[in-house]
Structure formats: C-alpha cells, structure tokens
Amino acid sequence: MADHKDRRSYISKAKIVRKDLGSRPAAEITPQELERWLRSHCKTAATTNRYKAFISLCYREGLHNGKVTVNPARQVRHRRESAGRLRFLSRDEYETLHEVIKKRFPEHVAEFEVSVNTGMRLSEQYSLTWGQVHLERRTIDLTKTKNGSARTVHLNADAVAALKTMQKKQSKPSDMVFPRQGPRFDTRSWFVPCLEDAKISGYVWHSNRHTFCSWLAMAGASIKEIQELAGHKTITMSARYSHLSPEHRLSVIDRISSASTGP
C-alpha cells in the first residue's frame, strides 16, 4: 500500500491531470502532447518529473488491466533536476537544537536523537513497532520503505539509549515506538518552534537524514557504506555527500603537492 503522503499526492495530481486531459481517450494521447502539457503546467524540473512519473504509473495500471496498449509517458524526456543544497547540522547546531528540544519538548528528545542517528525517513520512523526493534542486536528491521524493499537499520549507542527511554515494560511487539496523537505524522508543531528558538534556518525534519549522511561522510564512510546505511536506491544519491569525506578532500589536496609530482 502506498504511503499516506504518496496517496494524498496522487489524489491531488489526479485531479489536476483529469481536469485538462480527462476528456481524452487515454490511448489517443501522444508523448508530444504530454510533453507540451507538462511544459505548460510545471514550473520546475522536479515538478515535471513527478507529474511524468504519476502519469506513467496510471498508464502502467492501464496496461496491467488491459485498458491501453502503450505508455506514452515513457517516451517523455526526463528533465535534469538541480541538486539543491544539502542542509545539515554542524555539531554545535545539533547541541544547541538538542538543548532547546530538551527544554521545550522533552517528550520529543528521543525521536529527534533517533532520527539524526539512524537517518530513517519520517514515514519509516513513525510507523515503527517494537517488534521491528532489536536492541540486543542493535538493529531495526524495516519492512515498509520508500523504495519498496526491506532493509536493516543499524543502531549506534546514542540511538540505542534513546530507544530505551521510549520502551516500557508492558510494551507489546505491535505497539508503536513513537505513538502519534492523530492520523498523521506531525513533527512541525514542535520541531519548527525549536528551530526558531535555536536560530537555525533552512532546515526541516527531512534534513535530519542529510545530517546523518553528512556526519557519516565526515567520519570517513565510503559512498557505498552511506548508500547501505541510508537505504538509498542508487549510489548517485549517496555520492552527493562524497565531498565531505576527509579522505576525499585529502586525496584532492595531495594531487598538487610537490612531493607527489616527483623530480
């Protein structure tokens, strides 16, 4: 089943696409028409690619159910997206933000610590049950991920300590590790005010994942190790952090050393 956030996104996109293209038989729409529609309705490359992916998904479902015989969205060119800024916390910023959360919302300290020290996505962390957590092995078994494939999250000492503060003697395997008040995963109500108090800008909850990967890189982790620990589908996603690696920076500096050029 699609993540709740994806479902809301699909419903929103379907409404917009249906308004402009819904009167046309799906089998008659050409790749050129789709490309023109995307160009006129999407302001950024990222938005264009998201709508293209959604339309392609619709056609794949149509192919599966025998409603259409081709998928014109597959022939629409993928637009190159800007890498954007990978905002992450410095150690000093982390300590400052941690203190603010501890003071204002102490009940949320553990979930912040787990987020930064595991790099789990919001939906992965807030759908977690105690049956998936193995503190003695220092692992978490994720069965529902963005990529659709199961993976194991490894826990460092800080993550283990944070999870232990959440565990109760009467906790059952089916109990949520981070119980939520309503149907949605809400971090903004407490996280945003703390960011403001800590005077940290350009940062959102998902940036905790960037912090996790960036700290790994700065600790000397290889791109492959970052990919495995963060659960990136492609190594390209992990390569964005390679410039932070001390080993990488040292190797680049060494190239201009007179000692390396020889006599």
Side-chain angles (χ1 to χ4, degrees):
M1 181 179 291
D3 179 79
H4 73 290
K5 186 176 180 180
D6 290 335
R7 186 174 183 276
R8 293 199 306 271
S9 177
Y10 291 160
I11 292 173
S12 174
K13 287 182 174 66
K15 184 177 180 180
I16 293 171
V17 172
R18 190 182 297 116
K19 179 181 177 182
D20 293 323
L21 302 175
S23 62
R24 296 283 308 284
E28 294 181 6
I29 298 176
T30 66
Q32 292 76 21
E33 286 179 287
L34 284 179
E35 194 153 11
R36 284 195 296 270
W37 184 86
L38 290 168
R39 195 162 49 241
S40 64
H41 286 75
C42 304
K43 294 182 179 180
T44 67
T47 302
T48 299
N49 292 336
R50 300 298 90 74
Y51 269 91
K52 175 199 166 186
F54 169 72
I55 294 171
S56 185
L57 173 63
C58 293
Y59 271 98
R60 287 202 303 273
E61 287 297 311
L63 286 166
H64 179 73
N65 291 294
K67 301 295 184 181
V68 293
T69 57
V70 294
N71 180 356
R74 292 188 63 182
Q75 299 179 50
V76 174
R77 288 172 293 185
H78 188 83
R79 291 184 59 185
R80 185 173 181 177
E81 300 178 27
S82 172
R85 184 189 181 197
L86 296 176
R87 178 69 165 96
F88 64 93
L89 294 175
S90 67
R91 292 287 179 174
D92 286 342
E93 286 179 319
Y94 174 83
E95 292 300 332
T96 299
L97 181 56
H98 188 275
E99 284 303 310
V100 171
I101 296 173
K102 187 177 179 180
K103 181 179 180 180
R104 291 198 56 178
F105 300 95
E107 69 275 17
H108 292 297
V109 169
E111 55 202 277
F112 172 63
E113 293 174 341
V114 169
S115 178
V116 170
N117 284 284
T118 65
M120 282 192 290
R121 298 177 179 90
L122 183 146
S123 59
E124 294 170 345
Q125 180 172 342
Y126 286 92
S127 61
L128 196 63
T129 63
W130 283 111
Q132 297 171 258
V133 180
H134 308 286
L135 294 178
E136 69 286 352
R137 298 205 306 262
R138 291 175 42 163
T139 60
I140 289 175
D141 296 328
L142 292 183
T143 54
K144 297 178 181 178
T145 68
K146 181 181 179 181
N147 297 331
S149 56
R151 69 183 178 94
T152 299
V153 171
H154 296 273
L155 304 172
N156 62 18
D158 290 342
V160 169
L163 286 166
K164 284 182 176 179
T165 67
M166 298 295 297
Q167 193 173 37
K168 299 178 176 60
K169 289 184 178 180
Q170 65 272 26
S171 293
K172 301 175 183 177
S174 59
D175 288 346
M176 304 294 290
V177 176
F178 301 102
R180 55 185 186 271
Q181 301 301 316
R184 297 179 61 184
F185 308 129
D186 175 33
T187 57
R188 288 183 56 84
S189 62
W190 62 270
F191 194 57
V192 172
C194 289
L195 288 169
E196 292 172 350
D197 280 7
K199 295 180 173 54
I200 294 174
S201 60
Y203 198 87
V204 295
W205 183 263
H206 183 74
S207 301
N208 289 339
R209 188 164 161 80
H210 295 318
T211 296
F212 172 73
C213 294
S214 299
W215 286 6
L216 284 176
M218 289 186 285
S222 68
I223 297 175
K224 186 62 178 176
E225 287 172 326
I226 294 173
Q227 180 189 13
E228 293 174 352
L229 291 169
H232 288 147
K233 189 172 185 179
T234 66
I235 202 164
T236 303
M237 297 290 290
S238 308
R240 297 179 297 171
Y241 305 95
S242 63
H243 68 288
L244 296 170
S245 167
E247 182 178 348
H248 172 83
R249 287 181 292 180
L250 182 60
S251 67
V252 172
I253 294 297
D254 278 345
R255 292 174 196 171
I256 63 172
S257 168
S258 59
S260 65
T261 58

